[in-house]
Amino acid sequence: MTTTSTRTAPTTRTWIIAVFVAFTLSGLAIATWLGRIPSVRDSLGATTFEMGLLVLGMAVGSIGGLTFAGHIVAKVGARRGVQVASVCLAVGLVFAGVAVTAGWGFAAIWIGLIAFGFGNGLVDVSMNVSGAAAEKAGGRTIMPLFHAAFSVGTLAGAGLGALTEALDVPVVLHFAVLGVVVCLVMLAAASRFGDEHRYEEHESTATSPTPVQLTRWQVWAQPSTLLIGVIVLGMALAEGSANDWLPLAMIDGHGLDNAAGSAVLTVFLAAMTAGRIAGSPLIDRFGRVPVLRVSAAVAVVGLGLLIFVDVIPIAIVGVVLWGLGASLGFPMGMSAAADDPRSAALKVSAVATIGYVAFLAGPPLIGFLGEHIGLLGALLVVFVFIIAAGLASGAARETGAAAETLRKRRGRDDGDHGAARDQQPDAAQPGGGEPRLQTDRPHHGTDDTMADPAASGGTRADR
C-alpha cells in the first residue's frame, strides 16, 4: 500500500497531462492525412467520387477499431489500447504515404487507410476511457478540455499540411516523419496513464458483493447506452456537418467567395475550441444535464440563424453560436458512458460507434439533400438531430461516484453563498438540481472512497 501511495501521488497530474498529449496527437494524426488530400488526389488523378471511396477506407477501419476497442480495453486496459493504436496509426500512415509516392495505386492506399482508421477508432475509445478515469481522479470536469486539445491538434496538423503542400514536400516524407513522431510520443505518454480500474473495486462494494461484468450485447441493450448515443450522434452530426459543408453552405447559400467560406469554418472551429475550454467549470457547477440542454438550445438558435436569416453578419453570429452549442455534447457523452467503471470500455465503445454513424452517414445524406433543396435547407437534418440530443440529455445525468462528486462540489459552492442560499432552499436547477441527483442511486459509505483518490492509494495533493 505504501508503494502504491508513493506512486499515485504524482500520477494524477502526470496522468492528466499524458491524456492531453494523446488527444492532441490523435487530432494531429488525422489532420496529417486530411491536409494532404489534394496531393493524394493529384497523384491518383482521382475524381471526387473516387476520393470519397478512398476516404471510406479510413471510415471502415475506424468502425473496426471501435468495434474491437471495448474488448481490447477491457482485457488489457486503456494504456495498452493507446499503445497498440499508436502503432496502427504509424503503420497505416507510413504505408499510405509510401503507396502514394511510389504510385502503388488506389487499393494500396486503401489498405493503409484501413490500418490508420483502425488505430483511430481504438485510440478514440482508449483515451476517452482513460480520460474519464483521470477526470474522476482529479475531482473536476476535464473531458471537454481533452477534446479541446484534440481540436488544437487538428488545427496544428492542418497548418502543417498546408505548409507541406506549399513547399511541395513529398507525401511519404511528411507521413513518415509525423507517423514516427506521433507513435513514439504517444507510446511515451500512454506509459504515464494511471490505472482506470482503480475505482472498480470500490464501485463493486458499493453496489453488490458479487459484481457482474456486462457483455457487449448487454451494454448495447441498456436504454442509457442508446440515449447517450443519441446525444453523441446529434452533437457529432452538428460538428461533422460543419466541417464537411459549412464553407460550401456559406458560398452557395450566402454568396461568399471561397476564401471567405473557408474563413467562416475557422470561426466555427475557434468557437468549438473556446466552448470546450470554457465549458468545464460550467459542468462542474451545474452538472451535465442543464449544460447539455442549454448547449443544444444555443446550437439550434445558431443553426437557425444561419439557415433562415439571409444577412451575412447575423449568419456568422449563428455560426459562432452553433460552434459553442456543439462543443460540449461529445465529451459529456463520453464522460456519461464511463460513469460505471465496470462497463466503461464497452459502453464508451458502443456510444462512440453510434456517434461515428454521423461521420459516415451525415456527409452523403446532406450532400444528397443539398442537390435537391440546397445546402442550407439540407442542414435542417442537423437541426432535428440537435433537438433530439437535447431531449435525450437526461440520460447523461451523473451516477455513482460522479454524482457524489458533483453533490460535494455543489455543497462547497452553497457554503460560499451562505445565507443567500439558505433563503432559497428550493432553488434547485430543473433537470439537473441536487434533489434529483441524490435519488439517482443510493449512496453507501464506499462512495466517498470512490470519489476520493486518496482512498485508492492517492493523496489530496492529487487534486
Side-chain angles (χ1 to χ4, degrees), residues 288-314:
R288 294 184 200 131
V289 177
V291 174
L292 268 171
R293 288 174 177 164
V294 171
S295 295
V298 170
V300 165
V301 170
L303 189 55
L305 291 177
L306 174 69
I307 294 172
F308 297 114
V309 180
D310 192 18
V311 178
I312 291 176
I314 295 179

Side-chain angles (χ1 to χ4, degrees), residues 132 135-136 203 288 334-344 347-348 395-403 441 450:
E135 188 175 55
K136 291 188 180 77
E203 180 77 11
R288 294 184 200 131
M334 293 297 102
S335 292
D339 269 353
D340 185 349
R342 293 168 302 166
S343 59
K347 199 163 186 176
V348 168
R397 190 180 308 281
E398 292 82 353
T399 60
R441 100 190 243 183
M450 286 170 52

Side-chain angles (χ1 to χ4, degrees), residues 85-166:
S86 67
V87 175
C88 292
L89 287 170
V91 169
L93 195 60
V94 172
F95 187 88
V98 172
V100 170
T101 303
W104 290 351
F106 186 96
I109 300 173
W110 217 73
I111 292 171
L113 288 181
I114 288 177
F116 181 75
F118 184 92
N120 177 55
L122 177 57
V123 78
D124 199 347
V125 172
S126 301
M127 67 188 183
N128 272 290
V129 169
S130 189
E135 188 175 55
K136 291 188 180 77
R140 61 190 179 90
T141 300
I142 313 173
M143 192 66 82
L145 298 177
F146 290 147
H147 286 262
F150 177 88
S151 298
V152 170
T154 59
L155 289 172
L160 285 173
L163 180 62
T164 53
E165 283 281 318

Side-chain angles (χ1 to χ4, degrees), residues 25-392:
L25 291 174
S26 176
L28 177 63
I30 292 172
T32 296
W33 157 251
L34 295 176
R36 297 309 300 270
I37 284 179
S39 289
V40 174
R41 182 184 62 185
D42 292 344
S43 173
L44 291 171
T47 65
T48 301
F49 176 74
E50 288 170 337
M51 289 302 297
L53 292 178
L54 188 65
V55 173
L56 183 62
M58 189 169 72
V60 169
S62 294
I63 292 297
L66 289 168
T67 300
F68 289 102
H71 300 287
I72 293 172
V73 175
K75 291 291 184 183
V76 302
R79 178 190 299 130
R80 297 297 185 201
V82 170
Q83 290 174 334
V84 171
S86 67
V87 175
C88 292
L89 287 170
V91 169
L93 195 60
V94 172
F95 187 88
V98 172
V100 170
T101 303
W104 290 351
F106 186 96
I109 300 173
W110 217 73
I111 292 171
L113 288 181
I114 288 177
F116 181 75
F118 184 92
N120 177 55
L122 177 57
V123 78
D124 199 347
V125 172
S126 301
M127 67 188 183
N128 272 290
V129 169
S130 189
E135 188 175 55
K136 291 188 180 77
R140 61 190 179 90
T141 300
I142 313 173
M143 192 66 82
L145 298 177
F146 290 147
H147 286 262
F150 177 88
S151 298
V152 170
T154 59
L155 289 172
L160 285 173
L163 180 62
T164 53
E165 283 281 318
L167 297 177
D168 201 23
V169 175
V171 172
V172 63
L173 178 61
H174 181 198
F175 283 9
V177 171
L178 265 295
V180 171
V181 169
V182 166
C183 181
L184 293 178
V185 179
M186 196 176 280
L187 285 170
S191 70
R192 305 300 296 165
F193 281 12
D195 180 11
E196 68 272 11
H197 297 295
R198 77 192 220 183
Y199 296 97
E200 190 166 342
E201 294 178 3
H202 302 290
E203 180 77 11
S204 300
T205 58
T207 54
S208 68
T210 308
V212 178
Q213 183 66 43
L214 299 177
T215 66
R216 178 178 65 177
W217 303 116
Q218 288 172 327
V219 166
W220 273 97
Q222 291 182 321
S224 62
T225 300
L226 300 178
L227 288 172
I228 294 171
V230 170
I231 297 170
V232 172
L233 175 63
M235 292 305 189
L237 186 60
E239 179 180 354
S241 61
N243 292 335
D244 294 324
W245 298 111
L246 180 56
L248 290 179
M250 294 301 298
I251 293 166
D252 296 346
H254 290 286
L256 298 186
D257 59 24
N258 289 357
S262 297
V264 172
L265 176 59
T266 304
V267 170
F268 177 87
L269 294 174
M272 285 277 298
T273 304
R276 285 172 171 170
I277 293 171
S280 293
L282 295 176
I283 298 168
D284 281 340
R285 177 65 186 91
F286 300 106
R288 294 184 200 131
V289 177
V291 174
L292 268 171
R293 288 174 177 164
V294 171
S295 295
V298 170
V300 165
V301 170
L303 189 55
L305 291 177
L306 174 69
I307 294 172
F308 297 114
V309 180
D310 192 18
V311 178
I312 291 176
I314 295 179
I316 292 174
V317 169
V319 168
V320 172
L321 294 177
W322 181 10
L324 291 173
S327 63
L328 297 172
F330 198 97
M332 279 194 282
M334 293 297 102
S335 292
D339 269 353
D340 185 349
R342 293 168 302 166
S343 59
L346 292 173
K347 199 163 186 176
V348 168
S349 175
V351 168
T353 301
I354 296 172
Y356 265 68
V357 171
F359 299 114
L360 287 174
L365 174 61
I366 293 173
F368 174 79
L369 292 175
E371 288 188 3
H372 294 83
I373 60 174
L375 280 175
L376 291 179
L379 289 175
L380 286 171
V381 172
V382 183
F383 197 87
V384 172
F385 273 92
I386 295 174
I387 293 174
L391 294 175

